[in-house]
Amino acid sequence: MDITIKRFPTLALSIKKGLFWNYFEENNRKLLVQEEKYYPCYNIKSKLNNGYLIRVAFYKYRLSVEIAHSLADATSLITFLKSLLYHYFTLSSKIINDINEDIFKDNIHTIADYDDSFEVHTKNKKRSKKERRIKNIYLIKGKPLKIYGDNVIHGILSLEKIKEESKKYNITITAYILSVIAYSIYETRIKNRYEGKNIVICIPVNLRKIFPSISLKNFFGITNIMVNTNKKLEFDDIVNIVQNEMKNKISKDYLENFIYENTKLENNIFAKFIPLFIKNFIINLVFKLFEDKTKTMTISNFGNINLPDEMNEYISHFEAVVYPTINSPLNCGVCSFYDKLSITFNRTVIETDIIKYFFKYLSDVSEIEIYSNDFGVL
């Protein structure tokens, strides 16, 4: 850890309160490595973590890294974890050959690592159109876990089998998984109710794949994929809806508009000089009134995680855990490593009907290994 954190100055920060804005400050204290004692996504208390907004923990043969989203996104988090693994193995006398990536080297970082890519790619941009607000959104309800916390259910599938199934519908793996989840929500919660509710799946998008950037700071977009349920739907219908939505909303033009909207408030000259305590009051009020009522759930695909061949034999698989919230008590994280596709549901409610339907549907496509932390289940 001591070696790795030097390579990632954008993560070696603590947050401070200013008069008008919170701001990050360089943190030279030791980043602690802790034994995992609580559930995933447990609040990161920076005061108990030497000021850091990143947590590194271990439990038996599992290593986990968690991060506050204000600090970095999934791409930066995975980069950090890969570097940490590399240094762990080399210090354990493992021979790792052909390391050409800068992330595996000590103290090598460039000015581009510090780029605010939102600012870089918003210059001279104007909003093309305002997105229509989605109404009548289906929110997942359930009885809270008896002991508050996160219950995590992992499913390990064959990536190749899911890829083959996706090709039958001529869609990406992300679109296929999203379609199965939307179908599971429809079948277990909405079918035959005729309320015309909108299933809205929020997808974080890595903007580096569309706009040139190697920044280790946050650079991701958000797009909402909507499935209207005002008529009877079959799985094929949902696939077609998801395919069209993703084609329109994961496009350069659409995401340029997102970047513009994302930086508009920050660049507003009047907002800059409103005292921080007033901003916090307004933000907290809006958060309480509208927090996460704009989506049904979030699905975050961390993608395929590649490592040098010499490291692969020591790793079984990766898991991606996405934090749930009050009005979005069930979220999903996806990642893959070789032929192992990991799909993880993180929940704060007792009901598992959506998750059971989802894995039962996919069991016809691939064998599935399912396991859980069993938190909150008596």
Side-chain angles (χ1 to χ4, degrees):
M1 175 59 66
D2 295 339
I3 298 170
T4 304
I5 194 63
K6 293 176 184 177
R7 170 63 187 85
F8 295 88
T10 54
L11 302 184
L13 301 171
S14 57
I15 195 164
K16 302 291 182 181
K17 288 185 178 180
L19 179 60
F20 299 104
W21 295 99
N22 290 326
Y23 63 95
F24 288 119
E25 185 176 82
E26 183 180 353
N27 189 350
N28 293 313
R29 286 172 285 182
K30 191 178 184 69
L31 176 54
L32 306 175
V33 179
Q34 309 165 38
E35 185 173 7
E36 189 176 55
K37 297 179 180 179
Y38 305 104
Y39 51 84
C41 302
Y42 181 78
N43 282 342
I44 296 177
K45 297 179 180 179
S46 60
K47 290 182 180 179
L48 302 178
N49 193 29
N50 277 345
Y52 284 94
L53 298 172
I54 184 169
R55 177 193 292 131
V56 179
F58 66 93
Y59 178 74
K60 295 183 179 179
Y61 296 101
R62 182 175 68 240
L63 171 67
S64 62
V65 180
E66 300 182 21
I67 199 164
H69 227 323
S70 59
L71 194 62
D73 55 23
T75 300
S76 301
L77 184 63
I78 292 169
T79 303
F80 176 83
L81 177 57
K82 287 165 69 173
S83 182
L84 182 61
L85 286 168
Y86 167 73
H87 289 298
Y88 176 80
F89 289 135
T90 54
L91 289 170
S92 302
S93 301
K94 306 293 190 293
I95 305 300
I96 312 297
N97 295 314
D98 193 27
I99 299 302
N100 296 316
E101 293 188 61
D102 285 343
I103 64 166
F104 297 126
K105 297 173 183 176
D106 306 344
N107 266 338
I108 298 177
H109 42 83
T110 67
I111 199 69
D113 291 340
Y114 298 86
D115 273 351
D116 181 346
S117 294
F118 284 107
E119 183 179 351
V120 171
H121 291 285
T122 199
K123 288 178 180 177
N124 302 319
K125 299 292 182 186
K126 298 294 181 185
R127 182 175 65 189
S128 56
K129 60 179 179 179
K130 190 170 184 177
E131 186 179 2
R132 183 171 58 88
R133 186 166 172 256
I134 302 174
K135 299 179 180 179
N136 200 24
I137 298 168
Y138 178 74
L139 300 178
I140 295 173
K141 302 290 185 181
K143 187 176 181 180
L145 294 174
K146 293 181 180 179
I147 304 173
Y148 183 81
D150 292 9
N151 179 281
V152 179
I153 299 175
H154 305 279
I156 307 296
L157 305 86
S158 166
L159 176 63
E160 197 56 41
K161 293 285 181 65
I162 300 300
K163 190 181 292 184
E164 288 173 7
E165 191 69 14
S166 303
K167 285 182 179 178
K168 292 179 184 178
Y169 295 95
N170 196 30
I171 56 176
T172 64
I173 290 175
T174 300
Y176 177 74
I177 293 172
L178 193 155
S179 298
V180 178
I181 287 180
Y183 187 59
S184 301
I185 295 170
Y186 173 76
E187 287 288 316
T188 57
R189 298 291 184 99
I190 298 176
K191 190 177 180 181
N192 299 325
R193 291 191 177 183
Y194 306 108
E195 295 175 324
K197 292 280 187 179
N198 293 307
I199 299 171
V200 178
I201 308 293
C202 172
I203 306 179
V205 180
N206 180 10
L207 295 176
R208 297 170 185 82
K209 293 184 177 181
I210 301 170
F211 304 95
S213 171
I214 60 169
S215 176
L216 291 172
K217 290 185 176 182
N218 268 318
F219 193 46
F220 72 101
I222 293 292
T223 188
N224 290 320
I225 305 301
M226 184 186 80
V227 176
N228 184 266
T229 64
N230 60 358
K231 62 180 180 180
K232 186 176 180 181
L233 295 171
E234 302 295 338
F235 180 67
D236 285 10
D237 299 322
I238 289 179
V239 167
N240 290 332
I241 294 169
V242 168
Q243 187 176 29
N244 289 330
E245 282 276 296
M246 292 185 73
K247 182 180 178 181
N248 293 329
K249 293 183 176 179
I250 305 182
S251 64
K252 187 172 183 179
D253 286 345
Y254 185 93
L255 292 170
E256 274 184 342
N257 198 50
F258 171 86
I259 292 174
Y260 173 84
E261 292 293 333
N262 191 72
T263 55
K264 184 173 64 174
L265 179 60
E266 185 180 343
N267 293 327
N268 186 298
I269 190 68
F270 298 106
K272 286 183 178 181
F273 296 104
I274 296 175
L276 183 60
F277 74 94
I278 297 177
K279 286 175 186 165
N280 286 340
F281 173 79
I282 295 171
I283 290 170
N284 289 334
L285 180 63
V286 171
F287 193 76
K288 287 177 181 177
L289 292 174
F290 303 108
E291 184 261 344
D292 270 354
K293 293 181 181 178
T294 58
K295 65 177 181 180
T296 305
M297 69 179 295
T298 295
I299 301 175
S300 184
N301 190 344
F302 286 36
N304 186 48
I305 298 174
N306 296 307
L307 289 168
D309 291 341
E310 292 84 0
M311 293 170 67
N312 294 333
E313 63 179 291
Y314 305 113
I315 296 171
S316 168
H317 62 278
F318 287 85
E319 300 161 352
V321 183
V322 179
Y323 63 95
T325 58
I326 293 172
N327 289 305
S328 186
L330 176 66
N331 284 327
C332 179
V334 181
C335 64
S336 60
F337 180 67
Y338 273 71
D339 190 43
K340 289 187 176 181
L341 176 66
S342 172
I343 302 177
T344 297
F345 289 95
N346 194 2
R347 65 188 173 108
T348 56
V349 292
I350 291 173
E351 290 80 4
T352 58
D353 50 338
I354 296 170
I355 302 171
K356 285 179 179 176
Y357 193 97
F358 174 82
F359 282 128
K360 186 176 183 299
Y361 188 92
L362 288 183
S363 66
D364 292 332
V365 180
S366 167
E367 290 185 358
I368 309 174
E369 176 191 354
I370 298 175
Y371 56 99
S372 170
N373 68 342
D374 290 331
F375 187 91
V377 179
L378 299 178

